[in-house]
């Protein structure tokens, strides 16, 4: 059984594990080299040979025990007919959502479009040591809807007018997305991934009274789908503060990724029957090494007696120094 499965399924506290969100990409020179020769990001994600190579880059460099598939949450709207462009220093830009195009799609068209992702997983699984975990992922329906309906502004605030005036179509699209996301998970797991991380990166912009309908419910449906198939899940409802408690009680995933605004002591005392992952602010890596280790020690000590997966409270930032990250990895591996 892979290390992550041991922790998530058997709740084995002696099994230590560490991986990082966004470990394959942006900050790594070996990724940047490939990226500079592949200007179209979607095409790069759909190039199985290169995507598998990128997935394995952080494993080669740091001997981490989990690999996360190099792909993107926005391949889903792409496969559903929406144009997705990644513009330098601006992030993703999607063409306007077109319900007529959306309606022409079905699960077989959708998964056929994403077949290269499943091939990436197959190629990677063959090359990855058997005791290492291969993590696949999806964006939660709400987080995808934020991009698909262009619901947030540059300051990362939600455009509430747009949200409320399009609520019906957003709700209907959400229902459809759940179905597509479940088949995307099933295909990824059948191709060789053994854990699924569900990123609800924009849960925190939802008004509190909409959390149940747009965040908890869709995450629950997807987690229940996975439970029926014995697929371990790690949820990441970023930015919802103490609503992590309601989220955890409602959704009951195997693992939960803490964001950096969550007090780890509060989490340990309040979130029950769940494996903890992450928490540290990835920006800590911009500080000097003694500060980095002190922060890592804090999390490792708090979660010493419970199953814990070392990670951050969000993805590694592009400015991360790969050597400093390497030193942190050694520190965590040797910490008793
Ligand atoms: O320009 C570039 O070089 C592309 C940068 C990049 C990379 C390396 C993007 C654009 N996506 C990715 C890969 C990616 N995205 C992975 C696989 C690599 C890994 O984790 O090791 C994963 C898991 C994601 C997930 C993802 N994409 C999320 C959820 C996690 C999170 O960071 O909140 C989100 C919101 C996206 C959308 C996205 N993709 C890319 C950008 C710039 C964005 C917008 C959000 C952002 O600014 O990070």
């Amino acid at each position: 059984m892979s290390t992550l499965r041991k922790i998530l399924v058997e709740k084995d506290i002696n099994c230590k594990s560490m991986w990082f969100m966004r470990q394959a990409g942006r900050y790594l020179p070996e990724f940047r080299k490939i990226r500079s020769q592949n200007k179209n990001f979607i095409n790069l994600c759909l190039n199985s040979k290169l995507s598998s190579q990128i997935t394995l880059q952080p494993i080669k460099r740091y001997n981490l025990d989990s690999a996360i598939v190099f792909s993107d949450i926005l391949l889903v709207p792409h496969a559903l007919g929406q144009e997705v462009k990644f513009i330098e220093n601006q992030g993703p830009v999607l063409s306007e959502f077109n319900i007529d195009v959306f309606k022409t799609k079905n699960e077989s068209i959708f998964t056929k479009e994403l077949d290269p992702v499943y091939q990436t997983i197959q190629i990677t699984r063959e090359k990855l040591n058997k005791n290492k975990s291969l993590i696949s992922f999806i964006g939660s329906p709400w987080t995808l809807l934020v991009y698909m309906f262009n619901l947030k502004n540059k300051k990362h605030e939600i455009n509430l007018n747009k949200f409320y005036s399009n609520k019906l179509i957003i709700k209907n699209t959400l229902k459809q997305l759940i179905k597509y996301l479940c088949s995307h998970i099933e295909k990824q797991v059948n191709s060789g991934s053994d854990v699924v991380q569900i990123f609800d990166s924009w849960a925190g912009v939802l008004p509190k009274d909409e959390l149940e309908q747009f965040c908890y419910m869709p995450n629950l449906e997807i987690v229940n789908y996975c439970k029926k198939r014995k697929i371990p899940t790690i949820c990441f409802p970023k930015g919802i503060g103490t609503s992590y408690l309601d989220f955890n009680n409602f959704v009951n995933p195997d693992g939960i990724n803490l964001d950096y605004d969550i007090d780890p002591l509060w989490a340990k005392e309040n979130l029950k029957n769940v494996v903890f992952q992450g928490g540290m602010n990835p920006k800590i890596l911009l500080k000097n090494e003694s500060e980095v280790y002190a922060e890592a020690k804090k999390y490792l000590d708090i979660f010493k007696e419970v199953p814990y997966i070392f990670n951050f409270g969000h993805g590694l930032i592009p400015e991360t120094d790969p050597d400093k990250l390497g030193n942190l990895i050694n520190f965590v591996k040797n910490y008793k």
Side-chain angles (χ1 to χ4, degrees):
M1 195 183 257
S2 76
T3 47
L4 272 190
R5 284 188 82 103
K6 257 190 199 142
I7 299 178
L8 291 164
V9 178
E10 294 178 356
K11 313 258 185 296
D12 181 352
I13 61 163
N14 298 316
C15 184
K16 300 286 168 221
S17 192
M18 149 170 60
W19 68 280
F20 305 110
M21 293 181 282
R22 304 301 193 96
Q23 69 187 22
R26 314 194 277 197
Y27 69 105
L28 281 181
E30 53 269 41
F31 166 74
R32 289 204 181 131
K33 188 166 170 224
I34 294 179
R35 177 75 170 107
S36 68
Q37 294 154 357
N38 293 271
K39 298 286 181 215
N40 183 320
F41 184 70
I42 294 277
N43 285 351
L44 177 57
C45 292
L46 295 175
N47 179 328
S48 308
K49 211 170 144 232
L50 286 178
S51 289
S52 171
Q53 199 180 322
I54 297 169
T55 302
L56 294 168
Q57 283 176 343
I59 312 304
K60 282 212 175 106
R61 190 187 260 262
Y62 302 119
N63 193 25
L64 291 163
D65 48 23
S66 300
I68 180 159
V69 180
F70 181 78
S71 168
D72 197 84
I73 63 166
L74 298 176
L75 288 184
V76 166
H78 163 81
L80 292 170
Q82 215 169 345
E83 195 189 345
V84 181
K85 278 193 188 147
F86 289 86
I87 301 183
E88 226 179 316
N89 304 323
Q90 198 189 320
V93 177
L94 277 69
S95 61
E96 196 157 337
F97 180 75
N98 183 331
I99 188 74
D100 297 325
V101 174
F102 190 77
K103 277 186 182 156
T104 63
K105 306 295 173 185
N106 60 37
E107 277 158 273
S108 104
I109 300 175
F110 170 76
T111 50
K112 191 156 187 276
E113 193 72 37
L114 293 179
D115 197 53
V117 176
Y118 314 134
Q119 283 179 31
T120 302
I121 294 175
Q122 276 178 27
I123 300 171
T124 310
R125 186 70 274 179
E126 275 166 27
K127 294 189 174 159
L128 192 65
N129 192 314
K130 287 287 163 283
N131 59 19
K132 294 193 192 281
S133 311
L134 184 54
I135 305 160
S136 54
F137 64 91
I138 56 157
S140 281
W142 166 252
T143 287
L144 292 182
L145 288 164
V146 167
Y147 290 103
M148 291 167 75
F149 286 85
N150 193 14
L151 291 177
K152 65 176 171 58
N153 62 24
K154 291 215 164 64
K155 281 194 260 160
H156 297 327
E157 292 155 342
I158 189 175
N159 181 340
L160 279 176
N161 278 342
K162 201 168 182 183
F163 173 58
Y164 288 119
S165 57
N166 288 289
K167 208 166 170 186
L168 191 63
I169 184 173
I170 290 176
K171 252 162 72 176
N172 288 336
T173 313
L174 184 142
K175 253 193 228 144
Q176 297 293 317
L177 274 178
I178 292 177
K179 184 184 74 182
Y180 285 118
L181 290 168
C182 287
S183 44
H184 190 33
I185 289 176
E186 186 170 32
K187 287 274 184 185
Q188 294 189 81
V189 172
N190 287 346
S191 307
S193 75
D194 37 12
V195 173
V196 176
Q197 172 123 349
I198 305 168
F199 288 102
D200 215 345
S201 306
W202 295 111
V205 300
L206 272 165
K208 275 242 175 314
D209 59 350
E210 303 287 358
L211 273 174
E212 182 167 331
Q213 204 176 11
F214 288 91
C215 171
Y216 308 164
M217 276 303 292
N219 275 283
L220 174 68
E221 277 198 45
I222 295 168
V223 165
N224 281 348
Y225 176 91
C226 292
K227 277 186 183 163
K228 276 196 204 127
R229 290 158 181 80
K230 299 199 175 350
I231 304 167
T233 49
I234 305 172
C235 282
F236 185 29
K238 184 176 179 291
I240 64 171
T242 48
S243 297
Y244 256 81
L245 179 55
D246 289 339
F247 180 96
N248 191 50
N249 290 338
F250 204 103
V251 179
N252 206 230
D254 299 292
I256 201 155
N257 200 116
L258 305 175
D259 71 45
Y260 47 78
D261 288 327
I262 300 291
D263 175 356
L265 265 177
W266 173 86
K268 193 175 102 170
E269 277 158 22
N270 288 283
L271 309 181
K272 302 293 175 201
N273 298 319
V274 72
V275 170
F276 296 104
Q277 173 174 283
M280 249 167 79
N281 193 329
K283 286 196 180 144
I284 192 86
L285 285 166
L286 301 178
K287 299 199 173 169
N288 69 46
E289 298 211 348
S290 60
E291 283 175 90
V292 177
Y293 301 152
E295 191 67 3
K297 183 175 174 321
K298 182 175 109 186
Y299 281 86
L300 292 166
D301 287 345
I302 289 174
F303 295 113
K304 207 174 189 133
E305 266 109 46
V306 293
Y308 178 60
I309 301 162
F310 192 84
N311 200 319
F312 285 97
H314 201 191
L316 289 168
I317 57 172
E319 298 80 15
T320 304
D321 172 352
D323 292 334
K324 220 165 173 183
L325 180 65
N327 294 342
L328 171 65
I329 293 169
N330 287 335
F331 174 84
V332 175
K333 277 185 182 160
N334 296 322
Y335 190 72
K336 297 246 174 359

